[in-house]
Amino acid sequence: MKNTILTFFLIIPLISIAAKYYPGKAVKTDGTELIGYFEEPDFAAVKKIKFKSSLDSKKQKFLSVEFSTLEFTKGEELVKYEVLYYMQAKFLNFKKLKVSKKPIWFKVIERNIDGVSIYVAWGKSNDGRGNISYSMTSYMKLPDEKELKYLQYEGSSMTEIKIGFYKAFTKIIDYYFKDSCPELLTHVTKDLYKEKGVLMLTELYKEHCK
């Protein structure tokens, strides 16, 4: 089931994500729950989320910053999002990370309470001629941290591993883990990267950083 969910998350066509309403539940920042039908966040920084109490009811709009989590069923799969802050690196200088001023929507790819969790943020662009395209960037979260950390640009799919990103990826995780878990770094290989991409971190952390 876990692999099925991951496959569903990682293969997403380049069309508008927010096309339908899906049954689900959202938890707001004040702890209250909102149950009904939701449109999927169209991109990470979308300001408002559309909601219906029933499919026949009038749609309502809520500010994204009002939410902490959102989950809904899409076909037979359970899709999960979280509104989180993330660490920003100016010009990819990861020695000078700053917390983002505002939280954005992140799709949960793999969540581990006691390990590395992997998220993606969807970006949306318009070429000025009405053609919209989407791309995503992967982030990770450690158990004792609140903000997400940048991993790499993924493009349109996490299943298409960009081996040219390997060198940059190893530099980033070296900075993240050199003090807290240097053992993990010794098991990162190009072959493993080609096979699993950033998802390797969930397994390596579980095996070598406990």
Side-chain angles (χ1 to χ4, degrees):
M1 181 63 182
K2 181 178 179 181
N3 291 333
T4 301
I5 293 175
L6 284 176
T7 300
F8 168 77
F9 279 139
L10 304 186
I11 303 176
I12 303 176
L14 291 179
I15 59 175
S16 177
I17 296 175
K20 298 179 181 179
Y21 285 87
Y22 302 100
K25 178 182 73 174
V27 177
K28 304 184 77 174
T29 54
D30 62 4
T32 60
E33 295 183 351
L34 193 63
I35 298 175
Y37 294 82
F38 300 84
E39 273 198 343
E40 188 167 1
D42 194 26
F43 62 103
V46 66
K47 293 182 179 180
K48 294 182 179 181
I49 293 296
K50 296 176 183 178
F51 165 79
K52 290 184 177 183
S53 57
S54 68
L55 288 177
D56 297 326
S57 65
K58 184 178 180 180
K59 69 181 178 184
Q60 304 175 56
K61 293 182 179 180
F62 292 90
L63 292 173
S64 294
V65 293
E66 294 183 56
F67 296 98
S68 57
T69 64
L70 168 64
E71 61 180 51
F72 53 84
T73 53
K74 192 174 184 180
E76 296 181 355
E77 308 298 336
L78 180 63
V79 182
K80 294 184 178 182
Y81 280 86
E82 295 180 20
V83 180
L84 297 165
Y85 287 90
Y86 58 99
M87 302 298 288
Q88 294 178 306
K90 190 174 183 180
F91 302 118
L92 296 182
N93 182 356
F94 294 93
K95 295 182 180 180
K96 295 182 179 181
L97 293 170
K98 292 184 177 181
V99 180
S100 60
K101 294 181 179 180
K102 295 181 180 180
I104 60 175
W105 288 101
F106 287 92
K107 175 173 280 189
V108 181
I109 300 302
E110 186 169 344
R111 193 172 191 277
N112 298 290
I113 297 176
D114 299 321
V116 172
S117 296
I118 303 294
Y119 297 77
V120 294
W122 280 93
K124 179 181 179 181
S125 61
N126 191 319
D127 64 2
R129 294 176 293 180
N131 298 314
I132 297 175
S133 61
Y134 292 88
S135 60
M136 61 181 171
T137 302
S138 57
Y139 291 76
M140 75 168 190
K141 183 175 180 293
L142 296 174
D144 57 345
E145 297 177 344
K146 294 182 179 180
E147 297 84 18
L148 303 189
K149 290 181 176 178
Y150 170 89
L151 286 175
Q152 68 180 22
Y153 173 75
E154 301 286 352
S156 61
S157 174
M158 289 179 73
T159 60
E160 299 175 6
I161 304 301
K162 294 83 178 169
I163 197 61
F165 292 174
Y166 176 72
K167 186 176 181 179
F169 173 73
T170 56
K171 287 184 177 180
I172 291 170
I173 62 172
D174 178 73
Y175 179 71
Y176 292 157
F177 292 103
K178 63 181 178 181
D179 295 324
S180 61
C181 186
E183 175 69 16
L184 179 148
L185 302 172
T186 64
H187 296 276
V188 175
T189 66
K190 185 174 289 188
D191 287 339
L192 189 59
Y193 180 79
K194 288 172 65 176
E195 178 186 355
K196 298 185 177 181
V198 301
L199 292 174
M200 74 164 78
L201 295 177
T202 61
E203 295 181 11
L204 293 181
Y205 188 90
K206 182 178 180 181
E207 294 173 0
H208 306 289
C209 303
K210 291 292 185 178

